[in-house]
Amino acid sequence: MFRTALRNVSAHKGRLLMTVLAVMLGVAFVSGTLVFTNTLSDAYRKSSAKGFGQVDVAVRPAYRESEGDRLGKAPELTQALLDRSARVPGAASAVGVVGGFTALADKHGKLIGGGFQSQGGNFWGTEDPRYPLRSGAAPHGRDQVAIDSETARRAGYRVGDTVRLSVDGPVLTPTISGIFTTDDGNVAAGGSLALFDTATAQRLFGKPGTYDEIDVRARPGTGQAALKAQLDRTLPKGTAETTTGARLADDQARAISASMSGLRQGLLVFAGIALFVGTFIIANTFTMLVAQRTKELALLRAVGASRRQVTRSVLIEAFVVGTVAAVAGLVAGVGIGAGLRSLMGTLGATVPDGPLVVTPGTAGAALAVGVLVTMLAAWLPGRRAAKIPPVAAMGSVHAKATAKSLVLRNTLGALFAAAGVAVVLAATTMDGTDGQAPMGLGAVLLITGVFVLTPLLSRPLIAAAGPLLRGFGVSGKLARQNAVRNPRRTAATASALMIGLTLITGMTVMAGSLQTSIDKMASAAIRADYVVSMANGNALSPGVDRKLRATGGVTATSPMRNAPSRIDGRTEYLTGVDGHAFGELTDLKVDDGSFTVAGTRVVVDHDTATSHGWRAGSGFTVAYEDGRRQRLTVAGVYEGNDMIRGIMLDNATLAPHQSDPADMRVLVKTANGASAATKDRLVRALGSNPAVKVQSKRDLSDDIAKMFTLMLNMLYGLLAMAVIVAVLGVINTLAMSVFERSQEIGMLRAIGLDRTGVKRMVRLESLVISLFGGVLGIGLGVFFGWAAGELLGTKMATYELVLPWARMALFLLLAAAVGVLAALWPARRAARLNTLEAIKSE
């Protein structure tokens, strides 16, 4: 039986080619994902280990937890503590580290590094071992800065050039004194690093005389654990905590692995979808191969082969096909991994140097996935073939599905679909977080039910296309009959395309609805023309608000200032605003009381009020960050959103309790409204600072839209793999169907159907099957998009379902295009059949 199976594989190489391609693409996606993420993890892990090479023990502030009305606070690492650390037995040297966000502009004034990856710090002395100088000298004084070599290369900077930068204040224009190399992960990810001398860095980052961290090097012969023990005995208790460099490297390596795991899981989900779609092709292929070899299998049964041996022969064929496809997929996956890494560089992301990582686990996973998926998909056709009585099979009495089996299939499908709809609908009534798992379960049940019911659904839906097909004469009529002749095969072929379009449509509906909801949120909650904030989301200097107020054409401004406090024994963040102007700058719906922010009267969002049991007129005591207590009164309860929420009080009340006030954003109203000229005037008033963003409501929406568009395009690209596999499925089904119907096509040719008519028949059959899958996919996608939106609506009051009719029409055209393209080769093959040979074929 083993030799028979191998000979069958050799005899049907052409028919199995599409199956090999489908499995190979899925496996390539899986192995490519693993190679890509393993390579990134390894590169960043080695880079981070190098970055901690100059640190044997790190001394950091010991954060004190909040207790009662006392807010938690981290003690300062002073110069005295640094000197004390350097004198500990076993310590060779100690370096003070200070740093923070530093916006560095390129030669066109644009921010380098995307905000969060733009960092600054201190260069220790004249030769800092952490940052070897490639050219120039160490920075000295406020007018000098050193930058990393990658940033210098990308922006075209050289030693002696003047650069524009900002920490959290006015724009500075220091001279580049030196260019250094670094293994910093932010730089490796495309960010920038600017270094000042220590005194300048402390002053710029608001930490005069203190440090964020103290890095201690051990003397030769002293281990990291021994040095840590010495520091723990010497340093004041409760002031600082120590961590070895090895532990820091391990922690960062784990963090990198965790961040990569999210990316890996996301990519593997789409790889799984491609493989899932591929199972339809495999099952279709083996079902048709088994049907074509019915007499052959019956003869094997007649000469003594058992049912188990027949099933085993089919599984051996699947094992050989799966192994070949898995090996080819693994090789292609290595290429995909290398291509994805190169693509990151093309898109501007910088990845640390390192080899391509292909682990034994990756190879094992690729082989296991390819072989198992193929064998599982082939098991049912093999089992079905073994159950055909030998005499019936040898007499060409093909065992068709009985009425009982069809009733059972349709009943099971209806039960699954009904259960799926019920679970999804129940999930839409739950909270956003609690409803996620039921929603996923319901989606799986519904898709399974629809797949099982697809043969039943195919007849009425394809029949609906009958009037259109009549316009193509005999070819159209034959195409419709061929499409419904074998409902199971049609269903399996259409289902592959259905799944891909379900996901694409569902995500498109969600993305469009979310964007509309965010636009509504911005326009409904904010009357201000502009929102000013830092590029990295950090706090603005209070001077920004003062400069904006003094700018011509500005009629009202209000900073939004965050401040920690203790209320009822827990930490709550207060939002300080300009009580007189804030009502003019926002349009928040008040549910209870009035929107009055003045003196000790505050307003609270609905969720916060509910959690504390407050309503208009309620009073509560707050403990500010300076330890003082004050009694406040709730003047009103408003509907918060993702942009504005929390406890709001007047800055005049909050400011006396803040030692270092900082504004998260500033709302600005102008006399002439939002315009390019007004925005330019505001930008110039702030010194054309690369660290500061001036955004209109449209800009805010566009920023979020860019994020959604990027995510959606990435998902489209990933799901394209599933669509490609679905195309292969249609080609495979049509090609084998043409082979199966060779005699029938020969007879049609003999009675007058020309080659053009044969081509048209096959193309229309493919078009009908593809459109059938497209209609099902788009319908399910809209339903899932609506259901997921109902979950989001519990977290976003402005959520509104928006159906992207133009996109859905495009997806239907895509399904039609898939059908037309997939039919090109099978149609050409059918038209080129020799009429006499086709008539004689069996």
Side-chain angles (χ1 to χ4, degrees), residues 343-367:
L343 180 63
M344 287 188 69
T346 304
L347 295 175
T350 306
V351 181
D353 293 332
L356 206 63
V357 178
V358 185
T359 64
T362 299
L367 292 172

Side-chain angles (χ1 to χ4, degrees), residues 274-289:
L275 283 169
F276 183 60
V277 172
T279 58
F280 295 118
I281 301 175
I282 300 163
N284 245 4
T285 301
F286 279 94
T287 297
M288 296 176 75
L289 283 176

Side-chain angles (χ1 to χ4, degrees), residues 305-388:
S306 65
R307 287 184 177 183
R308 184 174 297 177
Q309 286 177 312
V310 170
T311 303
R312 193 181 301 151
S313 72
V314 176
L315 291 178
I316 290 171
E317 292 179 41
F319 175 80
V320 174
V321 171
T323 302
V324 172
V327 171
L330 176 60
V331 174
V334 173
I336 288 174
L340 286 173
R341 179 173 172 172
S342 299
L343 180 63
M344 287 188 69
T346 304
L347 295 175
T350 306
V351 181
D353 293 332
L356 206 63
V357 178
V358 185
T359 64
T362 299
L367 292 172
V369 165
V371 172
L372 287 176
V373 166
T374 309
M375 292 185 70
L376 284 173
W379 175 75
L380 190 60
R383 185 171 174 271
R384 191 182 298 131
K387 292 173 71 175
I388 299 175

Side-chain angles (χ1 to χ4, degrees), residues 609-631:
T610 301
S611 67
H612 286 279
W614 297 337
R615 59 182 183 179
S618 297
F620 62 93
T621 301
V622 60
Y624 296 108
E625 57 185 301
D626 63 355
R628 296 181 186 176
R629 297 159 62 87
Q630 188 174 32
R631 189 75 177 169

Side-chain angles (χ1 to χ4, degrees), residues 409-461:
R409 178 185 178 118
N410 294 337
T411 302
L412 286 174
L415 289 174
F416 271 102
V421 171
V423 173
V424 169
L425 292 177
T428 60
T429 64
M430 300 178 183
D431 180 72
T433 304
D434 297 335
Q436 289 178 3
M439 181 75 71
L441 174 63
V444 172
L445 289 173
L446 179 54
I447 288 177
T448 304
V450 171
F451 168 64
V452 175
L453 285 173
T454 306
L456 179 66
L457 298 173
S458 64
R459 289 185 178 276
L461 288 178

Side-chain angles (χ1 to χ4, degrees), residues 514-515 518 643 699-709:
L514 277 172
Q515 183 57 51
I518 290 164
M643 298 180 69
D699 294 333
L700 288 170
S701 295
D702 288 346
D703 260 7
I704 300 171
K706 286 177 185 176
M707 179 181 68
F708 281 129
T709 302

